[in-house]
Amino acid sequence: MRNRTGTAGLGQLTELAIPLTGSLPFGSWDHRLSFSITPTFLFTGNPLSHEGSNHQFGLCSLVGTSGQCPSSFGHHYYVQGVGLNLQYVHHWFSANVGSSPLGFPIANVLGGVEFAPHLTRNLVLRLKGGRQMVTDSELSYAGMREPITGEKWGGVTRIQGHGTLEWGEPNWNVYAGGGFSYLEGTNVNDNTGVDVEAGGSAVVWKADNRQFLRTGLDFIYLNYRSNSYSFSWGQGGYFSPQGYYAIMLPLEWTGHYCRWTWLLRSEAGYQHYHSKASAFFPMNDGLQSLLNEYTSAQDVGGVAGNVRGRVVYQLTHKLRMGLEAGYSRAGSWSEISGMIMAHYAFDGL
């Protein structure tokens, strides 16, 4: 489960997913094949039920003199679908192919590959690329229907290439990397983005090789060509600033005792982002000239951070169960998440 803040019917989102995964090793255990089926439910509210969200949704700002769609144009509660994924792993190579949840207004084929060879004993080159969904909102994740025309829009995918160099020692590590992405969707303005990250961490305390306390420093930078964080026709409904950076201080405590295993990780730091004003209808100059309205530019700085905890108990030799919960604040949103997990290993696996 995850819940993201925002305006009801627009950026606000509650997701419930139930991933069911089977994993099978083969070929002298050097290869592993996994298949996942994930029923997924998204709840976001009705964008036509409030004056502010109504005006920002689809083509509603062009209706009459009020810029409001009548509530009779449609009523929205939730969407549901089933996601599929097939994954193959062999040492430093992995690949997957699947789909966004079938049953959503817009479904997409997804997949990717990752290579992570050791260049030396301690140095790893990690290269990955693929096509994934942008899950910031229901519009970007599932797609929605425009209430006036009935046409679908949204369902934004990110086609990305990314490379990272990682140097790891038993008690410390450093990394640096970056990537480029191309974002597209149905009746959504195309976009491009770059990301850069660097950092490192070190173990500052340990006890009997059972408990470890690690801290470090992380730097993140993002930049998108255009701002598509709105919900009018042609916009994508995803966070896409024209400059974002964050400097974070992580603290992580991991350990195991008897049948218990745990992880507690927190990050706190400073973020700043700038988003330019964008046209209500970026793909149609004629519609834009009728309204001549733009989203507001933003220049925001402040505290960012997240915290995540996980605890797992080994009930039997084959069965373990766990709980996980988290909270994050970044960009203009905050999000809480939670998970209940059960893992069963058959004989010989």
Side-chain angles (χ1 to χ4, degrees), residues 173-223:
N173 67 77
V174 293
Y175 69 93
F180 176 83
S181 57
Y182 174 75
L183 299 97
E184 60 179 357
T186 301
N187 293 315
V188 171
N189 200 29
D190 294 346
N191 206 354
T192 58
V194 296
D195 62 280
V196 177
E197 58 273 339
S201 64
V203 175
V204 294
W205 175 83
K206 60 181 178 180
D208 301 327
N209 286 323
R210 291 184 177 182
Q211 297 185 57
F212 300 87
L213 187 65
R214 180 182 291 270
T215 190
L217 183 68
D218 295 315
F219 171 79
I220 304 165
Y221 174 78
L222 304 172
N223 191 306

Side-chain angles (χ1 to χ4, degrees), residues 13 84 94 121 171 177 180 196 244 332:
L13 177 68
L84 306 175
S94 66
R121 180 179 178 181
N171 291 317
F180 176 83
V196 177
Y244 172 94
S332 59

Side-chain angles (χ1 to χ4, degrees), residues 66-77:
S66 63
Q68 299 284 316
C69 282
S71 58
S72 60
F73 277 21
H75 200 66
H76 180 83
Y77 290 101

Side-chain angles (χ1 to χ4, degrees), residues 15-335:
E15 176 184 4
L16 176 63
I18 310 170
L20 308 171
T21 303
S23 182
L24 179 68
F26 64 97
S28 301
W29 293 50
D30 290 334
H31 308 261
R32 181 171 290 274
L33 196 65
S34 300
F35 180 70
S36 296
I37 301 174
T38 307
T40 305
F41 305 84
L42 301 183
F43 305 85
T44 191
N46 181 11
L48 305 185
S49 61
H50 301 284
E51 182 177 334
S53 58
N54 190 314
H55 182 76
Q56 300 176 56
F57 189 70
L59 297 170
C60 290
S61 56
L62 298 176
V63 176
T65 58
S66 63
Q68 299 284 316
C69 282
S71 58
S72 60
F73 277 21
H75 200 66
H76 180 83
Y77 290 101
Y78 70 95
V79 294
Q80 61 186 18
V82 179
L84 306 175
N85 186 67
L86 179 66
Q87 183 180 43
Y88 168 76
V89 178
H90 177 58
H91 294 304
W92 48 265
F93 170 77
S94 66
N96 70 88
V97 64
S99 73
S100 60
L102 305 176
F104 280 4
I106 299 173
N108 287 283
V109 176
L110 309 174
V113 295
E114 179 175 312
F115 301 86
H118 279 261
L119 303 181
T120 69
R121 180 179 178 181
N122 300 102
L123 182 63
V124 174
L125 172 63
R126 191 176 302 277
L127 300 173
K128 58 183 178 180
R131 187 182 195 222
Q132 300 299 326
M133 294 305 304
V134 178
T135 61
D136 288 9
S137 69
E138 182 181 330
L139 178 61
S140 69
Y141 190 1
M144 304 178 83
R145 286 193 179 273
E146 205 288 313
I148 299 175
T149 65
E151 292 187 64
K152 300 175 183 178
W153 98 101
V156 181
T157 59
R158 182 192 306 274
I159 302 172
Q160 184 181 41
H162 194 276
T164 309
L165 280 172
E166 305 169 357
W167 182 278
E169 297 282 352
N171 291 317
W172 62 273
N173 67 77
V174 293
Y175 69 93
F180 176 83
S181 57
Y182 174 75
L183 299 97
E184 60 179 357
T186 301
N187 293 315
V188 171
N189 200 29
D190 294 346
N191 206 354
T192 58
V194 296
D195 62 280
V196 177
E197 58 273 339
S201 64
V203 175
V204 294
W205 175 83
K206 60 181 178 180
D208 301 327
N209 286 323
R210 291 184 177 182
Q211 297 185 57
F212 300 87
L213 187 65
R214 180 182 291 270
T215 190
L217 183 68
D218 295 315
F219 171 79
I220 304 165
Y221 174 78
L222 304 172
N223 191 306
Y224 290 85
R225 182 187 65 201
S226 57
N227 179 13
S228 195
Y229 198 27
S230 188
F231 297 82
S232 50
W233 184 257
Q235 294 276 356
Y238 60 92
F239 184 61
S240 44
Q242 282 58 73
Y244 172 94
Y245 70 85
I247 301 174
M248 308 295 289
L249 295 170
L251 185 65
E252 181 179 281
W253 176 40
T254 58
H256 66 91
Y257 178 75
C258 295
R259 297 188 178 190
W260 293 95
T261 303
W262 65 87
L263 176 148
L264 181 62
R265 178 181 174 85
S266 64
E267 285 185 303
Y270 178 81
Q271 68 169 1
H272 183 273
Y273 67 91
H274 170 71
S275 296
K276 295 181 179 179
S278 61
F280 251 51
F281 308 117
M283 298 182 66
N284 192 310
D285 292 339
L287 292 177
Q288 181 61 29
S289 65
L290 290 175
L291 184 69
N292 196 29
E293 190 169 338
Y294 295 82
T295 64
S296 300
Q298 289 187 307
D299 197 4
V300 180
V303 175
N306 61 78
V307 60
R308 181 168 63 95
R310 182 176 69 238
V311 59
V312 178
Y313 184 74
Q314 192 80 37
L315 279 82
T316 70
H317 177 68
K318 299 178 181 181
L319 176 64
R320 65 177 184 266
M321 300 190 69
L323 296 172
E324 182 172 320
Y327 170 82
S328 60
R329 177 181 173 84
S332 59
W333 49 268
S334 61
E335 181 176 289

